[in-house]
Each structure stands twice: as C-alpha cells, then as structure tokens.
Amino acid sequence: MQSFKLGFVVFASIGLLFLGACGNQASESSSNPSVATSETATNTGTTANSEKSAHGGSGGKNAQVVETGKYHLEFVPEKEGSTTHLDLYLQTGDKHEAVTNAKVTADIQSPDGKQKTVPLTYDADGKHYATKLEGVTAGQYQVKVTANVGTEKVNGRFSFNQ
C-alpha cells in the first residue's frame, strides 16, 4: 500500500512540474507579444555569452557574442547613471581584426514597447562602435544590430536588462 501511495505522489509531482513548466512558457510568450518567433529564428549567428571576449576580457557577465559568417559581433551594455553605454565590437577573420569602415545602427525596443533606431559611431581608441541610450527604464531591452560593411549586411540580435 505504501508503494502505491509513493507511486501516486511521484506521478502527481511530475504532472504538476509539467503543468508548471507549460504555464511559465505560455505566460512568457504572452507577456512579450511583440517579439515574433520567426524573428528570433532568423538569427544567422550563434550566441555564446561565455566565449572569451575578443577585446581582451573574459566576456564578462554583460557581454554577448554572435558569430555570423566571417564576422564576430560582441555586444556589451553598461549602465552609467541614468544612461546605458552600448558597445559593439565588430571584428572579422580568425584573428578578430576590427572592422573600422562599417555603418552600424541599433534598433532598440524598450520594455514599454517603444522602438528607436540609434547610430553607433566608431571609437578608434577602443576599436569598437558605441552609443549612449538616455533615460532608461527598468526591464528587458531587445536590440537588433545592423552593420553595413561595404556591400555586406551583418545582423545580430541581443537583449539586456536594466
């Protein structure tokens, strides 16, 4: 009789875990309806947050890396008071040489659903592209970076929390 009770408790627990997991997934997808599944599936690169940073660091907890084709994109958001500093290291080749002649923009969706496009300018000293995001609100930001390198277009998708 005890093995029957134990079996029932185990079965019921597994069922509740399954229902809880399905419930969380449904609430996550309904809480951010503006992010389409097909958009996130079109990312042509692979993301590796723990990969060694190409600019000499360990990648840090904020760094996000996307490898797409021959390009290496490393996105580093850093909060600075009431602004957020966004750095993008755009590199190419096996040695991750800096790409200095790209036209880079970031399409940013804030937690309240507002969208804005900001240009990133090249900082020759830091060998990266940068911009500042003013007046940030708390929550998750979705960022699509587009870099036009000559006739090639390089895209990367990132997100960060404030």
Side-chain angles (χ1 to χ4, degrees):
M1 186 63 152
Q2 272 195 335
S3 64
F4 176 73
K5 287 182 183 179
L6 179 62
F8 179 75
V9 169
V10 170
F11 180 74
S13 298
I14 291 172
L16 288 175
L17 287 172
F18 178 73
L19 288 175
C22 290
N24 284 343
Q25 190 176 29
S27 67
E28 284 175 4
S29 61
S30 66
S31 68
N32 195 358
S34 60
V35 178
T37 314
S38 61
E39 281 187 1
T40 53
T42 60
N43 185 359
T44 58
T46 56
T47 302
N49 291 341
S50 62
E51 183 175 322
K52 182 133 177 93
S53 168
H55 64 274
S58 63
K61 69 175 188 170
N62 292 334
Q64 300 172 45
V65 176
V66 172
E67 297 282 347
T68 178
K70 66 180 181 179
Y71 293 100
H72 173 94
L73 289 83
E74 184 170 342
F75 180 74
V76 184
E78 301 222 4
K79 188 164 173 83
E80 296 177 348
S82 64
T83 65
T84 298
H85 189 91
L86 303 177
D87 292 334
L88 178 76
Y89 294 84
L90 176 60
Q91 300 160 337
T92 187
D94 292 336
K95 296 182 181 179
H96 289 196
E97 297 165 354
V99 176
T100 61
N101 61 342
K103 181 181 178 193
V104 181
T105 58
D107 296 324
I108 302 169
Q109 180 180 353
S110 60
D112 58 6
K114 294 181 182 173
Q115 300 242 8
K116 69 166 73 170
T117 300
V118 295
L120 281 80
T121 55
Y122 188 71
D123 174 16
D125 292 335
K127 295 184 179 181
H128 68 281
Y129 294 85
T131 192
K132 286 192 177 183
L133 188 59
E134 302 288 334
V136 296
T137 53
Q140 186 177 44
Y141 288 76
Q142 300 292 327
V143 181
K144 177 187 175 195
V145 174
T146 303
N148 292 318
V149 184
T151 60
E152 293 181 276
K153 185 178 271 193
V154 182
N155 293 315
R157 295 185 184 273
F158 307 95
S159 65
F160 66 95
N161 291 317
Q162 287 299 341

